[in-house]
Amino acid sequence: MRCPFCGTPDTRVLDSRAAEEGYSVRRRRECGACGRRFTTYERVDEPPLVVVKKDGRREAFNRHKLLAGLVKACQKRPISMSVLESLVDEVERSLRSTAELEIHSHQIGEMVMERLRALDGVAYVRFASVYREFRDAREFVQEVERLTQGGAGEGT
């Protein structure tokens, strides 16, 4: 591994440990030339997931974009960032466990809503209102009624 500070290819591993729930290896390294230390991560090189949008466009799956949407939906709710990151990890693992490299955006949205519904009813309705593009208050009320009749998760 090349040193990011001086460019020397002579670095040694000081420590290795599992990271990201065992899906990567974190290595602490030291440069033999300049003596500086740095961290690297080793992950399986997975083929990229492609998301097929509603209008037919295709773009690379972006876990940060999904996390940002969840953060917005969970604003002022008692849900920690680590719970949201775990939810995104779970969705991504589920997507990668299928043999498909192209996933329709509606599949991702439904997976997220299923998990959010069990987690927090308010966050679920917020996410659903954007995802399902509610056009008026009536659609919003209908979704809340469906949620309360179906036995929602905590926080409703």
Side-chain angles (χ1 to χ4, degrees), residues 23-105:
Y23 288 94
S24 69
V25 177
R26 177 186 182 274
R27 299 195 196 284
R28 191 73 183 140
R29 297 177 177 268
E30 183 177 55
C31 177
C34 70
R36 293 187 69 182
R37 293 182 177 189
F38 58 99
T39 302
T40 61
Y41 289 88
E42 181 180 318
R43 295 178 181 86
V44 172
D45 189 19
E46 298 176 302
L49 284 173
V50 175
V51 178
V52 180
K53 307 298 263 179
K54 290 177 185 177
D55 64 4
R57 287 181 300 116
R58 287 169 165 67
E59 65 181 47
F61 174 77
N62 184 339
R63 62 178 286 112
H64 301 291
K65 187 174 175 182
L66 179 56
L67 184 59
L70 285 168
V71 166
K72 208 173 256 190
C74 296
Q75 215 168 8
K76 297 184 182 180
R77 301 299 303 155
I79 303 169
S80 70
M81 193 64 176
S82 63
V83 169
L84 296 180
E85 288 171 348
S86 294
L87 191 150
V88 172
D89 289 342
E90 188 180 318
V91 167
E92 185 174 8
R93 269 196 304 275
S94 182
L95 293 173
R96 291 191 183 282
S97 71
T98 69
E100 302 298 318
L101 294 179
E102 285 193 351
I103 308 292
H104 288 270
S105 61

Side-chain angles (χ1 to χ4, degrees), residues 1 7 14 27 37 71 94 97 105 107 116 132 137 144-145 151:
M1 175 67 60
L14 301 174
R27 299 195 196 284
R37 293 182 177 189
V71 166
S94 182
S97 71
S105 61
Q107 290 173 284
L116 266 182
R132 292 196 174 137
V144 171
E145 287 173 350

